[in-house]
Amino acid sequence: MVRTGEGEVLPRCAECGGYAYGGAPGCAVCRDLVDGIVEGEWAAFLPRWDTTAGGDQERTLAEMVVAEPDRHDWRLVDAALDRLRCPDCGERLTRGPAGCPPCDRAHGYRYAAIETDRPGVPPGNEHAIRVNVSVVRRPQVSSDSEVLVRRLLLPLLLAGYLPTTEEAQRISALVKKSPPGRRAQLVEQTVRQLAEDFSRRRRAARAAGSSPTSPDTPAATPRRSGPGRPR
């Protein structure tokens, strides 16, 4: 199955003007794109169980997936959680306010789900995608700075990028030392430069006939990060 973002060249969002996906959760268009990362997988999953969207059958299927996260892809698990309600706060499970016990527990268990890297991407790319998607879709439990970095990096991750340790440290240092009023602008500039460098390396690699990201990456790498260990 072709994953969302695979093969794309960082298209722009017509609504917010940034890289597509990167404007979420503030930009409605980007927010729908991010939701589509998990919803597309769920839509393909339902026919395999002869189930249609809506109603008790879909809820029962969602409960089954959430009860056995280690047997399913993380996108299916996240989509299933969206179809269940928290008994305490009433929000979609895991999407409630910070400190809601059932939401926090379900959020921890979701990280037992399977993560499979796409062919040609660095090992760990899929894990980075799922963490960033999780933060962007439940921003109320993260700091503004973390949401900013996670959302801006998401389009690059979907295109097959994974920051090096040096790049991650540079972004972290920038966030810490930037004045709050200029933080978003400076981080956006840094991510834009990373995107340009990545696109240039990818074009050069394709011209040379090698993988644009990591030529020695296996065709598929299933991984699990373990319950309660998102990073």
Side-chain angles (χ1 to χ4, degrees), residues 177-197:
K177 71 180 183 181
S178 297
R182 295 196 60 212
R183 184 168 297 149
Q185 178 187 6
L186 294 174
V187 174
E188 285 176 0
Q189 290 174 353
T190 299
V191 171
R192 186 163 55 247
Q193 184 60 56
L194 290 175
E196 292 170 358
D197 292 345

Side-chain angles (χ1 to χ4, degrees), residues 43-131:
F45 181 67
L46 289 180
R48 286 182 255 157
W49 290 83
D50 195 25
T51 302
T52 56
D56 293 339
Q57 279 190 322
E58 185 184 27
R59 177 183 173 82
T60 299
L61 184 60
E63 290 173 342
M64 181 196 74
V65 170
V66 169
E68 301 177 320
D70 57 322
R71 298 185 61 182
H72 301 282
D73 182 85
W74 72 268
R75 301 175 189 228
L76 284 178
V77 174
D78 280 18
L81 287 166
D82 283 346
R83 283 153 177 82
L84 303 177
R85 290 286 172 180
C86 172
D88 281 15
C89 70
E91 294 289 338
R92 284 179 288 179
L93 196 55
T94 76
R95 305 282 287 275
C100 174
C103 284
D104 288 347
R105 281 196 301 271
H107 175 63
Y109 290 139
R110 83 197 313 161
Y111 284 98
I114 298 169
E115 303 166 354
T116 304
D117 286 315
R118 294 165 291 165
V121 303
N125 172 266
E126 188 71 10
H127 176 66
I129 289 173
R130 66 95 53 93
V131 172

Side-chain angles (χ1 to χ4, degrees), residues 16 151 204:
C16 67
R151 71 173 178 83

Side-chain angles (χ1 to χ4, degrees), residues 15 27 105 135 162 166 190 214 222:
E15 180 70 18
C27 170
R105 281 196 301 271
V135 171
L162 190 67
E166 180 183 357
T190 299
S214 178

Side-chain angles (χ1 to χ4, degrees), residues 155-206:
L156 280 75
L157 298 174
L158 290 168
Y161 165 83
L162 190 67
T164 64
T165 300
E166 180 183 357
E167 288 169 339
Q169 290 174 343
R170 176 152 50 99
I171 294 173
S172 177
L174 178 65
V175 169
K176 291 176 181 177
K177 71 180 183 181
S178 297
R182 295 196 60 212
R183 184 168 297 149
Q185 178 187 6
L186 294 174
V187 174
E188 285 176 0
Q189 290 174 353
T190 299
V191 171
R192 186 163 55 247
Q193 184 60 56
L194 290 175
E196 292 170 358
D197 292 345
F198 173 70
S199 296
R200 186 162 49 249
R201 292 197 305 269
R202 182 164 56 179
R203 289 193 299 268
R206 285 175 177 166

